[in-house]
Amino acid sequence: MLGLGKRDLIFLAVVLALTLAAPVLLNPFAENSGLAQFNAGYPDLMQRIAIFAIFAVGFNILFGLTGYLSFGHAAFLGVGSYSALWMFKLLSLNIIPGIILAVIMGGVFALAIGYVSLRRSGIYFSILTLAFAQMSYNLAYSVLTPITNGESGLQPDLGDPRILDAASSSGSVPPTNIFGLAMSETWKVDFLGRVFQFNAGYYVCGLISVLMFYLALRIFRSPFGMMLRAVKSNQNRLNYTGLNTRPYMLTAFVISGMYAGLAGGLMAAMDPLAGPDRMQWTASGEVVLMTILGGAGTMLGPVLGAGFIKYFENIFSKINDHVLQGWFSVFPHWLQDLLVTIFHPFMGKGWNLTLGLLFMLVVIFLPGGLIEGGNRLMRLTRRRRRDDGPRPSEAPAE
Amino acid sequence: MGILEVKGVGKRFGGLQALGDVNLSVRENTVHAIIGPNGAGKSTLLNCLVGKLIPDTGSVLFSGQSVLGRKPHEINQMGISRVFQTPEIFGDLTVLENVLIPCFAKRDGAYRLHAFETVAHEAEINAQAEAMLKGVKMWEKRAAHAGTLSRGDKRRLELAMCLAQGPKLLLLDEPTAGMARADTNATIALLKEIKARGDITMVIIEHDMEVVFSLADRITVLAQGTPLVEDEPEKIKGHPKVKEAYLGEAH
């Protein structure tokens, strides 16, 4: 079914179920308990996780399969955001035309940048993509201000023509919507002291990300995906097997650019404000981090990486000295102060320091990323179980 | 007129004349060996045939068409496959995938966007790959990663990959280099089998004389970038010029 084998189909069903249930699953702690700050089940964060999952899954099609490390994918993200916003301003606050244009523009830019950058491989390819992304960033700041509105960012305002739905609004700019259903629409359900928030915007992002995950799964299992892995493995042999690697690479680059454009479009749809910062190299670096942290070349790795980084970024930046003091209040005063001083640089604004350390640990001890960590744990428990007693029904470990 | 016609090919690297004036005519469905001492220009000649190097002078015609100036993948699509001195395979892919790729390349050409088809659903391609792997007795190892195979198995796999494309001309660059005796013998046996099918032309570059004399229909001896003699194996063996080139004048 759906062109997938049985195992992949189950895999996809699990991903879909987790996505649908995320507002409940990510909100395990009661509202008034001390652990409530570790909840992740609010719309803003879940939207971001879903959007960055799309970005990382697309990036993984290029980096994970072919091994070509692009350092400029944020450019496509930014292009997607600006395209979507122009659609919101000119056409309608319905997000669909905006998202479609975002995907197309992401693809067009990727075609142009990829055509030039793919003339080189290895570090030179990375530098070329980085250069293009920084150029886009600087253009958005300076020359292209009429299109991007420079530093203050682009957003819909009352003076916009909005050909399709201008008549319906007066007084203030209405929210972005999908056929009238506002992205900010949230149903709150109070259950056992926990407040579950079911947000329209999250479900749009979540369902699109599952669809994108499915497409990526198809690409991984296709002859095309196999050729891309062959590029990573031995380009020389691929050429001497009668295959032209260039168009294969370019297609992979364009597909991943379209994923990035889609992510940018969704970002604009959730929060209609786009600034040039979205294209900066730190944003490009972030998706590289996500993919490697989760596990490059695996299906689930980039999703895990995106969720991991976005979740901890959010949690850590909320932990200030006051919270730390609360944690260590059981210790004597001097020890409490000492511990707070030690942990202070890693929390709040120092989150990037923690992320850096985590990233180093993963790269050194788990080169395959979080996925490899999970696999190792699984193998370990399986071996334990086998030591406890033979289980004839179990399939032998690989 | 042979299937491969090399006329007046010369190649210079800086001050070194790697190939002088090479003329070669390879008849269809024969095995033609090129031998010669180190630095004779054997590998340079081979690289000129597959588009890796472009000769300074001369022409290379394959089935009447020039191969010069074409890219390696275009030359391959014309029907020329190549086996490398060190087996070039897709080390990170499974043995089966290694053979599936040339099967796809043969059917779909140099590029096709088959991103939403599924490898496992291509019954015909999978059957071809299975037959190819069984032909080199590698089917049992189909799930292994190709990078983990022994040298002899890698060579067999590489041969299966080349044959999967159904080439008209197979170029072999020292196919038994660095192999243990048993692997060398197995490779010779396999090459003899391929030759016995009678539908493929082979050009072999080889140091190991046992391999050369057990396979070749015709031998060209290359020395200092120019062909010294070209003849049948029996006549090459005792040829004074060959002895001279290989062993020096003292003998």
Side-chain angles (χ1 to χ4, degrees), chain B:
Chain B
M1 181 84 172
I3 188 165
L4 182 71
E5 292 283 340
V6 178
K7 281 186 195 134
V9 164
K11 179 78 192 171
R12 175 178 278 279
F13 297 113
L16 177 77
Q17 188 79 38
L19 289 179
D21 176 32
V22 179
N23 291 294
L24 198 68
S25 176
V26 180
R27 275 180 294 125
E28 202 167 354
N29 301 335
T30 61
V31 177
H32 197 119
I34 298 168
I35 62 172
N38 283 326
K42 305 186 296 291
S43 294
T44 308
L45 178 60
L46 202 66
N47 284 333
C48 287
L49 301 184
V50 293
K52 198 173 180 184
L53 290 177
I54 297 170
D56 305 328
T57 57
S59 67
V60 178
L61 294 179
F62 173 69
S63 297
Q65 280 181 297
S66 174
V67 304
L68 299 185
R70 292 181 202 250
K71 299 218 174 74
H73 70 87
E74 292 168 337
I75 293 177
N76 176 281
Q77 290 283 356
M78 290 168 77
I80 301 180
S81 279
R82 174 177 184 180
V83 168
F84 288 80
Q85 200 166 340
T86 329
E88 291 269 351
I89 52 174
F90 304 113
D92 304 326
L93 273 56
T94 67
V95 168
L96 178 62
E97 285 171 330
N98 267 273
V99 184
L100 284 169
I101 287 175
C103 290
F104 277 111
K106 188 187 176 192
R107 190 192 70 182
D108 300 336
Y111 171 77
R112 179 172 158 199
L113 179 61
H114 30 33
F116 298 104
E117 291 150 36
T118 308
V119 175
H121 295 174
E122 302 274 1
E124 203 177 311
I125 298 264
N126 279 286
Q128 272 173 25
E130 183 178 342
M132 280 301 151
L133 281 178
K134 282 182 172 162
V136 296
K137 301 185 185 67
M138 293 282 289
W139 178 242
E140 278 68 37
K141 293 177 182 163
R142 62 186 176 278
H145 278 259
T148 64
L149 297 175
S150 73
R151 184 66 176 262
D153 280 350
K154 279 182 185 165
R155 174 65 74 213
R156 287 225 295 279
L157 176 61
E158 195 187 23
L159 274 168
M161 290 162 73
C162 288
L163 293 175
Q165 294 190 283
K168 283 182 263 177
L169 175 62
L170 184 59
L171 305 174
L172 301 111
D173 190 355
E174 302 203 21
T176 63
M179 268 190 198
R181 199 69 238 170
D183 280 338
T184 303
N185 290 339
T187 307
I188 295 176
L190 181 60
L191 289 174
K192 275 186 174 163
E193 234 176 83
I194 297 167
K195 183 188 171 184
R197 291 179 209 165
D199 59 354
I200 193 165
T201 315
M202 288 194 255
V203 171
I204 299 188
I205 286 177
E206 184 58 78
H207 268 303
D208 190 328
M209 288 305 136
E210 195 184 328
V211 179
V212 172
F213 287 109
S214 60
L215 280 169
D217 299 311
R218 240 182 137 68
I219 296 177
T220 298
V221 183
L222 213 59
Q224 286 155 6
T226 41
L228 223 50
V229 270
E230 189 198 314
D231 218 325
E232 283 157 20
E234 288 312 308
K235 290 179 184 157
I236 291 285
K237 262 182 192 168
H239 206 288
K241 269 193 178 173
V242 178
K243 277 190 179 165
E244 191 186 309
Y246 260 90
L247 304 167
E249 284 173 37
H251 292 264

Side-chain angles (χ1 to χ4, degrees), chain A residues 358-391:
Chain A
L358 271 174
F359 185 70
M360 278 163 63
L361 288 176
V362 165
V363 169
I364 293 169
F365 296 107
L366 285 175
L370 296 174
I371 288 283
E372 187 185 327
N375 285 344
R376 277 197 204 168
L377 274 179
M378 228 141 74
R379 246 175 285 150
L380 210 64
T381 50
R382 214 182 286 173
R383 208 174 304 148
R384 285 265 166 74
R385 244 189 291 158
R386 214 181 315 147
D387 293 344
D388 290 347
R391 297 190 163 207

Side-chain angles (χ1 to χ4, degrees), chain A residues 219-239:
Chain A
I219 291 174
F220 267 59
R221 304 285 184 255
S222 72
F224 179 76
M226 191 167 69
M227 300 304 175
L228 296 184
R229 281 186 293 134
V231 169
K232 185 179 184 178
S233 185
N234 189 343
Q235 227 180 101
N236 194 32
R237 173 42 89 191
L238 202 62
N239 280 324

Side-chain angles (χ1 to χ4, degrees), chain A residues 195-388:
Chain A
V195 181
F196 300 126
Q197 304 182 48
F198 299 95
N199 168 261
Y202 165 69
Y203 277 103
V204 169
C205 294
L207 289 176
I208 293 179
S209 73
V210 172
L211 179 67
M212 289 301 118
F213 188 79
Y214 165 70
L215 290 182
L217 196 59
R218 287 295 299 270
I219 291 174
F220 267 59
R221 304 285 184 255
S222 72
F224 179 76
M226 191 167 69
M227 300 304 175
L228 296 184
R229 281 186 293 134
V231 169
K232 185 179 184 178
S233 185
N234 189 343
Q235 227 180 101
N236 194 32
R237 173 42 89 191
L238 202 62
N239 280 324
Y240 284 104
T241 307
L243 291 158
N244 193 357
T245 46
R246 264 286 212 54
Y248 277 103
M249 289 303 308
L250 190 58
T251 315
F253 196 85
V254 170
I255 291 176
S256 74
M258 289 167 91
Y259 268 75
L262 173 65
L266 280 172
M267 247 182 218
M270 296 306 121
D271 176 16
L273 170 69
D277 285 353
R278 218 161 262 186
M279 295 184 162
Q280 218 185 348
W281 67 271
T282 46
S284 297
E286 195 175 25
V287 74
V288 179
L289 282 190
M290 285 172 180
T291 312
I292 295 178
L293 191 69
T298 62
M299 269 313 298
L300 210 50
V303 181
L304 273 184
F308 186 88
I309 288 184
K310 284 293 151 195
Y311 174 73
F312 281 102
E313 178 183 70
N314 194 55
I315 299 302
F316 272 75
S317 40
K318 273 196 298 190
I319 300 174
N320 51 26
D321 284 1
H322 185 70
V323 178
L324 284 176
Q325 266 160 4
W327 286 1
F328 302 127
S329 59
V330 289
F331 299 111
H333 209 310
W334 63 271
L335 186 58
Q336 184 190 3
D337 280 351
L338 182 68
L339 286 171
V340 169
T341 316
I342 292 173
F343 279 92
H344 171 79
F346 298 97
M347 305 295 174
K349 289 208 163 80
W351 144 249
N352 281 321
L353 187 58
T354 317
L355 176 62
L357 286 173
L358 271 174
F359 185 70
M360 278 163 63
L361 288 176
V362 165
V363 169
I364 293 169
F365 296 107
L366 285 175
L370 296 174
I371 288 283
E372 187 185 327
N375 285 344
R376 277 197 204 168
L377 274 179
M378 228 141 74
R379 246 175 285 150
L380 210 64
T381 50
R382 214 182 286 173
R383 208 174 304 148
R384 285 265 166 74
R385 244 189 291 158
R386 214 181 315 147
D387 293 344
D388 290 347

